[in-house]
Every structure is written in structure tokens, then in C-alpha cells.
Amino acid sequence: MGSLGDAVDTDRESWDGLEMSYYTVSPNRWTFRSDKIREWVEERLTGRVLNACAGRTKLVHDDRIVRNDIDVDRDADLHVDVCEIADHFEPETFDTVVYDPPFSQYQSNRSYEGRNVGDDALAKRQIDELLSPGGRFIQFGFTTTGMPMSLGYERQEVAIFNTLGRMNDYLAVVDEKPGELEAGPRWFK
Ligand SMILES: C[S@@+](CC[C@H](N)C(=O)[O-])C[C@H]1O[C@@H](n2cnc3c(N)ncnc32)[C@H](O)[C@@H]1O
């Protein structure tokens, strides 16, 4: 798992309070082209947002969304590898990070010309640097292993998007960084 270390088991005694939801969707290589998924994500955005592997779909939100994609053909504010994205912003300057990378090497080869996240743990360490205390991490993929609980992140939600047998179901998680979000505008947009 790279420099963040292996995922470790959590001491959380019960998952009773965990919010879980379930949907059926038509899969698309641009994940948020599905209205149900796009709305699910948009409802969970708060404050200044980084869309770290932005793809094609533009999310609607009442605050700034910074779009990044390694593919220069994507309409984005910057085109860097998410594994080095913390070099491009001040630390702890995003309230939400959306992380929707290629879900597998197969999907990367098939839909994104082989572009992929080489080291998921490194990408997550970068994201952790950029997230404000109390900030929200929203991930899509074939796993619910999100941000490391060893860093104090708390799992808030899990959603399952049943792709009706067309491919593996999509899984989404919302993890919250420890601390309190500050109120009001804090950064240059
Ligand atoms: C699943 S798609 C994102 C789809 C997007 N949410 C949408 O609805 O349009 C994954 C994106 O990650 C980008 N990507 C792949 N490797 C990346 C990397 N290392 N850093 C940043 N972006 C990357 C791909 O170019 C692709 O656009």
C-alpha cells in the first residue's frame, strides 16, 4: 500500500450508526454522468472542493470546485498526477476532496488510455495534506477502503451502486477527517 502503510483493522466497536444506501445505475466511464450518482455526490459537497480525478462531468456546487485530471484533454484547472497534487496548493485548504480514479488497471486501459493512479496510498497522503480538519473525503471505486482510520478518519457513509450486472458494482464512501471545519471564506478562490 505504499508510504501510507497497509490498511489496518479499526477499533470501532459498532457500525450501527453508519449510513448506508443502495441504488441501481447504468454504468458509464464518466461515473457522474449517472444522474443518481451525480446527485448523491453533489448533495455531499461542502465548502471548497477538490475534484482530484475530475474526468468529464462538471459537478454543480455553491462554492468553488477545483478540477484536476492528469489527461490534458480534460477540461480542468490543472493536469497533474494526483500523487503529487499537494505540491500545487496550500495545506488544509479544501473542505471536500472527491476521489474518483480509474477503478482498476483493466478499466484504465479500456477507458482512460492506460492513465491510472500508480500509488493509491501516496495519493491519499497527498489528499490528507490538502483536506482541512473536519473535511470530507468522498471516494468511488471497487473497494470501501477509504482514508486510513489510523489517521483518525471516521467513516460516515457507504453507498452501493448496482450496475445491473454490466460490471462490478460501484462503491462509494464518505470519510471525515478529525477536527472541526472553520466557518466562512478562508482562501483565495
Ligand atoms: C473514473 S474517471 C473520472 C470520471 C469523473 N468522475 C466523471 O464523472 O467524469 C477517472 C479519471 O482519472 C484520471 N486519472 C487517471 N490517473 C490519474 C492520476 N494519476 N492523476 C489524476 N487523474 C488521473 C483519468 O484521466 C480519468 O479522467
Side-chain angles (χ1 to χ4, degrees):
M1 289 284 286
S3 45
L4 209 60
D6 291 330
V8 290
D9 201 0
T10 163
D11 304 336
R12 186 163 163 164
E13 278 180 15
S14 154
W15 296 93
D16 285 353
L18 183 67
E19 198 165 319
M20 297 201 61
S21 48
Y22 181 75
Y23 307 84
T24 54
V25 294
S26 297
N28 186 303
R29 70 178 163 141
W30 308 114
T31 322
F32 306 158
R33 283 283 157 98
S34 152
D35 288 343
K36 284 184 207 168
I37 299 180
R38 186 179 45 71
E39 283 163 20
W40 187 91
V41 177
E42 287 175 348
E43 282 166 12
R44 284 154 180 79
L45 301 179
T46 182
R48 188 175 189 245
V49 174
L50 173 64
N51 192 352
C53 299
R56 288 190 91 144
T57 319
K58 299 222 170 138
L59 297 169
V60 174
H61 176 48
D62 61 6
D63 203 331
R64 174 89 160 101
I65 299 183
V66 176
R67 292 170 55 81
N68 173 63
D69 198 293
I70 201 167
D71 183 351
V72 293
D73 290 334
R74 302 278 69 86
D75 185 2
D77 300 291
L78 74 165
H79 297 102
V80 301
D81 188 336
V82 65
C83 293
E84 56 184 49
I85 199 163
D87 295 344
H88 299 269
F89 299 97
E90 293 295 316
E92 301 188 344
T93 48
F94 290 95
D95 301 308
T96 306
V97 175
V98 177
Y99 182 53
D100 179 25
F103 294 180
S104 65
Q105 190 60 50
Y106 173 77
Q107 206 196 48
S108 154
N109 294 340
R110 198 176 145 157
S111 302
Y112 314 111
E113 294 162 322
R115 295 182 187 89
N116 206 350
V117 177
D119 186 338
D120 185 65
L122 181 54
K124 286 177 178 171
R125 196 176 60 172
Q126 301 273 305
I127 289 168
D128 177 56
E129 271 182 61
L130 294 178
L131 257 183
S132 317
R136 214 173 258 180
F137 171 73
I138 303 175
Q139 170 189 281
F140 282 79
F142 291 147
T143 177
T144 59
T145 303
M147 288 302 261
M149 305 293 140
S150 59
L151 293 182
Y153 279 78
E154 184 149 340
R155 173 67 37 91
Q156 304 289 323
E157 272 189 69
V158 173
I160 299 168
F161 296 93
N162 175 353
T163 59
L164 303 169
R166 301 204 179 110
M167 58 186 299
N168 289 341
D169 291 349
Y170 297 167
L171 302 172
V173 299
V174 180
D175 290 342
E176 196 173 285
K177 186 169 174 167
E180 292 284 324
L181 266 189
E182 284 174 36
R186 285 155 284 160
W187 307 293
F188 294 108
K189 309 255 162 157

